[in-house]
Amino acid sequence: MSALSQTTEVVDPVPGAGAPHLPQQPELIQLLTPEGERVEHADYAVDLTDEELRGLYRDLVLVRRWDVEATALQRQGELGIWASLLGQEAAQIGAGRALADDDMAFPTYREHGVAWTRGVDPLEVISLFRGVDNGGWDPVSTKFNLYTIVIGAQCLHATGYAMGVQRDGAESAVLAFLGDGASSEGEVNEAMIWAASFGAPVVFFCQNNQYAISVPLERQSRVPLYQRAAGFGFPGVRVDGNDVLAVLAVTRAALQAAREGQGPTFIEAFTYRMGAHTTSDDPTRYRLAGELEEWKLRDPIARLKAHLSRSGIADPAFFDAVEAEADELAAHIRSGTVNMPDPVPAEMFDHVYAEQTPHLAAQRDEFVAYHASFSDTAAGEGH
Amino acid sequence: MSTQTLTIGKALNLGLRKAMEDDAKVVLMGEDIGKLGGVFRITDGLQKDFGEDRVVDTPLAEAAIVGTAVGLAMRGYRPVCEIQFDGFVFPAYNQIVTQVAKIHARSKGKVAMPIVIRIPMGGGIGAVEHHSESPEAYFAHTAGLKVVAVSNPVDAYWGIQQAIAHPDPIVFLEPKRRYWEKAEVDTAAEPEPLFRSRIVRGGDDVTVLAYGPMVKTALQAADAAAEEGRSLEVIDLRTVSPLDLDPVFESVRRTGRCVVVHEAPTTLGLGSEIAARVTESCFHSLEAPVLRVGGYDTPYPPSKLEEEYLPDLDRVLDAVDRSMEF
Ligand SMILES: Cc1ncc(C[n+]2csc(CCOP(=O)(O)OP(=O)(O)O)c2C)c(N)n1
């Protein structure tokens, strides 16, 4: 039995909840054990070339490095805040690499790994956290929607987008990301009802990282999350979220089913947020260090590395090359961040409407004139 | 010793504690308010002392936090809901404006809704979007709700207790960027009534109105104006619904000039209502139109631009100048 499945036998009682201990079937789909051994699963197979496997490893290492660098930049005052993906790399890379070019992804605010797979420049993601803009990248050309800070709102957008795909008779699917905490929001539940009711080609990808800020999963759900899908009328699966191969296999299958008209799937990627919720959070208030230590043994990168080396798919030279590439990426992120120009203040007024209103245009002019009256500020058109 | 130096955050914490000690029906509900003590630590230590039934870490569901408060209130409880940030009150908006606000009237007074909805409001902390908004006008526009916006530790300490003890639903706005501001609080003093505005600095030239986070800005502007020989009278509205404008009218009749300051977008903000009422009541005393200083009519901008967006003392002084020029 894997270390993962041992931890999930029983839902801890929630004090005051009055509910009995509920059995939690650890039906965790796994293709790579925490020790890095390849295992087979009857329903989910992946057959990847050595090059593809090395590519996944590279993705994992690079997004972790990006994340570590961004966390450091926040500590040094270069970013207002950062939502770390540490520990969730496999869930995000597995899900992101399962997307076909034409599929659309709807992230929350932590899906930097998925952004990476969609070709979004890390600096565009960082610009949001640096306070340079409220968006960053082009959601149309990247097929990666803007981050959504209001929890759960994007699940409805994803469902609507999927309904559009369905109406257009297009051959694509939609992947909506959410967290375990988000599963409690009304809007998320409404999205799942609609998706089921209309058979929309949308896959709900829930990263169960065990906490919504400080609140543990048990406060959000008295049954394993993947089992909720049954109540909405579509399949739910739980995958080892620290196993990039299993996540890839399960997400690919779900997206394919959606494309083929079989409607939604709910995927629970069982994982762990190894860092703080964001850089403003203090996880020592709500979790014990031992828990983190335990999850470190299931590190998504270490297990793929073990597999690649053991099976001779990658050699030390390859790992060194990825490290070197990560160093380069980190340097690019660092210099790109500290040299990122501040936004031009008057641009605040520019995209509020597709068609500018006279009122706002006048307000903009006043703003520019007012700032021009201070000699040392450049509020207007340029720097 | 009943006088202590407290931050606004700590004053709220102590006020909540006192309210819970005084009334066993007071129940706190919100995301992360238990072990974590809330993201701003306002409820720090309360769960430890009052238990998980009275300081409830809720699922992540704002409509449920407020919607279940309605049911609890019907059973005689006094729920105090914490909304984590201003921008996250909107999932609960339906419950607040269609249910909480109207049940007393619809039941012809048979059912009271003694619910407090605490919201850390406003900008200036360098956050990402939806963490810096000023939603007061949405609530002030809804009959049946009262909207309080505190600006200092004394009002925070007393105001939260008074709001909890009050029979009507109250949206209680906390100036998040001022949580760390300190003042002496006399916890044995007789508190001022909740729904009254207060002159916080006397002056003769222009009456400046503010509430919540902007009170400090208005006072800074008054200091700067004083150096130039101008005397601003600063009034802290303290409650934005119902508005207590009699002291304002009196002041404006004396100064002849009025500037209203808030962070929320200017158009259809509280300032618009206040300008209309001051004009109606003080028309013959006014030397200049009532001027508004507010946020621009744009979404709250990325944090690198919030200094440009938020009214600062220069913008207040600019309005004072314009008023004086009439
Ligand atoms: C509607 C809403 N309420 C509250 C918040 C504040 N908040 C930000 S993240 C978070 C926890 C989210 O937990 P989960 O859905 O499990 O995702 P995770 O952050 O763990 O990835 C909360 C409460 C928010 N962003 N939106």
Side-chain angles (χ1 to χ4, degrees):
Chain A
M1 197 150 92
S2 77
L4 260 181
S5 50
Q6 284 166 16
T7 61
T8 58
E9 244 71 277
V10 153
V11 175
D12 287 338
V14 177
H21 286 227
L22 299 173
Q24 200 175 26
Q25 296 92 22
E27 288 174 19
L28 196 63
I29 293 155
Q30 211 172 57
L31 296 177
L32 203 56
T33 68
E35 296 73 36
E37 263 167 56
R38 194 67 173 78
V39 287
E40 295 303 322
H41 189 281
D43 300 324
Y44 296 97
V46 270
D47 192 12
L48 298 176
T49 64
D50 289 356
E51 200 187 333
E52 285 170 324
L53 285 166
R54 287 191 295 265
L56 289 173
Y57 178 81
R58 172 180 173 271
D59 286 339
L60 294 174
V61 170
L62 293 185
V63 299
R64 175 167 294 182
R65 190 55 161 272
W66 163 10
D67 187 72
V68 167
E69 193 63 30
T71 302
L73 283 163
Q74 196 281 334
R75 296 273 177 249
Q76 291 153 16
E78 295 290 342
L79 304 184
I81 195 169
W82 180 248
S84 166
L85 61 53
L86 192 67
Q88 298 177 226
E89 297 88 350
Q92 297 191 11
I93 294 299
R97 288 295 176 209
L99 289 162
D101 284 350
D102 215 28
D103 294 339
M104 180 73 188
F106 285 84
T108 66
Y109 44 78
R110 200 190 292 286
E111 272 71 65
H112 323 313
V114 186
W116 173 260
T117 67
R118 300 308 266 171
V120 174
D121 184 334
L123 290 171
E124 293 186 315
V125 176
I126 280 178
S127 70
L128 175 71
F129 293 91
R130 188 170 163 84
V132 167
D133 60 41
N134 280 335
W137 55 93
D138 174 2
V140 179
S141 66
T142 57
K143 297 231 156 216
F144 182 68
N145 193 46
L146 296 176
Y147 277 0
T148 302
I149 308 273
V150 179
I151 303 286
Q154 76 283 357
C155 290
L156 286 165
H157 313 160
T159 299
Y161 191 97
M163 290 166 66
V165 167
Q166 191 178 36
R167 278 156 200 256
D168 296 344
E171 279 275 306
S172 63
V174 179
L175 192 54
F177 289 87
L178 66 147
D180 42 295
S183 72
S184 295
E185 289 282 3
E187 291 184 358
V188 170
N189 288 272
E190 292 178 29
M192 294 203 272
I193 287 164
W194 276 55
S197 186
F198 294 102
V202 55
V203 174
F204 297 99
F205 189 93
C206 177
Q207 288 168 83
N208 173 4
N209 64 9
Q210 314 300 330
Y211 289 92
I213 309 192
S214 71
V215 180
L217 174 66
E218 298 81 54
R219 181 45 57 114
Q220 315 289 345
S221 184
R222 303 297 294 157
V223 298
L225 283 174
Y226 76 98
Q227 289 181 0
R228 286 218 193 141
F232 292 102
F234 49 84
V237 288
R238 177 186 272 183
V239 59
D240 182 342
N242 288 18
D243 172 353
V244 69
L245 301 185
V247 174
L248 179 69
V250 167
T251 313
R252 256 190 196 165
L255 289 168
Q256 190 52 31
R259 283 186 209 104
E260 288 166 4
Q262 295 171 48
T265 301
F266 182 91
I267 298 173
E268 176 188 357
F270 199 81
T271 182
Y272 190 75
R273 156 171 52 82
M274 282 160 66
H277 169 71
T278 64
T279 40
S280 347
D281 173 39
D282 174 10
T284 61
R285 283 185 168 235
Y286 57 84
R287 69 186 190 195
L288 300 168
E291 188 180 295
L292 177 60
E293 292 310 311
E294 214 184 297
W295 276 90
K296 278 188 184 160
L297 302 174
R298 301 161 208 172
D299 187 289
I301 300 187
R303 79 164 77 172
L304 185 60
K305 186 172 189 179
H307 172 61
L308 294 185
S309 2
R310 201 175 299 148
S311 53
I313 295 169
D315 58 11
F318 167 77
F319 295 120
D320 289 348
V322 173
E323 272 323 298
E325 206 187 338
D327 289 344
E328 256 171 58
L329 177 68
H332 165 71
I333 286 172
R334 169 158 295 272
S335 65
T337 301
V338 299
N339 295 321
M340 196 176 286
D342 282 352
V344 177
E347 276 178 15
M348 181 156 72
F349 299 88
D350 288 350
H351 301 289
V352 181
Y353 302 102
E355 192 175 297
Q356 181 66 310
T357 66
H359 164 75
L360 202 58
Q363 207 171 67
R364 184 191 198 279
D365 291 346
E366 269 169 42
F367 173 85
V368 171
Y370 177 64
H371 280 268
S373 70
F374 298 90
S375 50
D376 56 342
T377 50
E381 321 300 325
H383 291 268
Chain B
M1 217 10 227
S2 58
T3 301
Q4 321 173 40
T5 303
L6 300 176
T7 61
I8 290 183
K10 186 66 186 169
L12 288 166
N13 178 271
L14 290 181
L16 287 166
R17 174 177 288 278
K18 186 75 179 11
M20 295 186 78
E21 281 164 2
D22 289 352
D23 183 349
K25 293 289 189 187
V26 174
V27 178
L28 272 44
M29 305 202 292
E31 293 155 13
D32 302 290
I33 68 170
K35 268 191 192 163
L36 192 65
V39 291
F40 290 106
R41 310 290 183 263
I42 304 303
T43 54
D44 201 11
L46 297 179
Q47 189 181 64
K48 198 165 113 275
D49 296 341
F50 293 94
E52 306 198 0
D53 281 346
R54 294 199 57 203
V55 181
V56 184
D57 257 332
T58 68
L60 210 182
E62 290 77 10
I65 292 169
V66 175
T68 60
V70 170
L72 282 162
M74 291 172 75
R75 294 285 303 182
Y77 288 90
R78 303 189 93 82
V80 182
C81 305
E82 176 173 307
I83 300 294
Q84 208 157 69
F85 279 90
D86 34 60
F88 310 144
V89 71
F90 297 105
Y93 189 65
N94 170 45
Q95 286 289 337
I96 298 172
V97 304
T98 72
Q99 306 301 315
V100 171
K102 295 186 166 63
I103 286 174
H104 189 262
R106 290 179 56 220
S107 68
K108 300 192 169 53
K110 296 272 188 314
V111 181
M113 281 289 124
I115 297 173
V116 176
I117 300 164
R118 294 181 38 236
I119 310 177
M121 61 92 81
I125 62 159
V128 291
E129 61 170 357
H130 307 302
H131 289 74
S132 306
E133 289 161 30
S134 300
E136 63 270 21
Y138 297 113
F139 299 114
H141 195 65
T142 300
L145 299 174
K146 291 175 179 168
V147 184
V148 169
V150 293
S151 67
N152 63 75
V154 175
D155 286 348
Y157 177 75
W158 291 114
I160 191 64
Q161 295 180 62
Q162 291 166 319
I164 292 170
H166 191 74
D168 287 316
I170 294 184
V171 174
F172 192 89
L173 302 172
E174 301 170 3
K176 71 168 84 79
R177 85 167 116 149
R178 310 281 189 222
Y179 271 144
W180 300 273
E181 300 277 328
K182 286 183 187 156
E184 298 245 301
V185 180
D186 181 352
T187 55
E190 188 60 33
E192 284 183 52
L194 185 57
F195 306 112
R196 290 276 176 273
S197 54
R198 181 199 297 136
I199 298 173
V200 286
R201 179 185 173 120
D204 305 316
D205 293 334
V206 180
T207 304
V208 178
L209 310 180
Y211 53 88
M214 280 293 123
V215 173
K216 183 176 179 188
T217 307
L219 288 170
Q220 287 168 336
D223 278 342
E227 282 171 25
E228 291 165 17
R230 247 177 215 166
S231 145
L232 307 188
E233 177 142 304
V234 179
I235 299 184
D236 179 355
L237 293 168
R238 298 175 71 239
T239 292
V240 298
S241 180
L243 282 165
D244 173 30
L245 293 183
D246 285 342
V248 174
F249 299 153
E250 229 170 84
S251 169
V252 174
R253 283 186 196 117
R254 217 165 14 82
T255 62
R257 300 170 201 279
C258 181
V259 171
V260 194
V261 188
H262 57 63
E263 291 189 24
T266 307
T267 296
L268 292 168
L270 257 295
S272 308
E273 172 66 19
I274 293 166
R277 304 246 298 255
V278 170
T279 306
E280 281 170 21
S281 292
C282 310
F283 186 70
H284 295 293
S285 317
L286 283 172
E287 306 279 344
V290 181
L291 297 178
R292 290 164 297 162
V293 181
Y296 299 107
D297 296 317
T298 68
Y300 195 87
S303 59
K304 289 271 182 196
L305 294 182
E306 66 185 343
E307 304 259 295
E308 315 279 349
Y309 177 89
L310 291 169
D312 58 3
L313 81 169
D314 284 330
R315 278 174 61 198
V316 178
L317 291 173
D318 183 64
V320 165
D321 287 347
R322 279 187 286 134
S323 179
M324 297 293 287
E325 278 161 20
F326 274 92

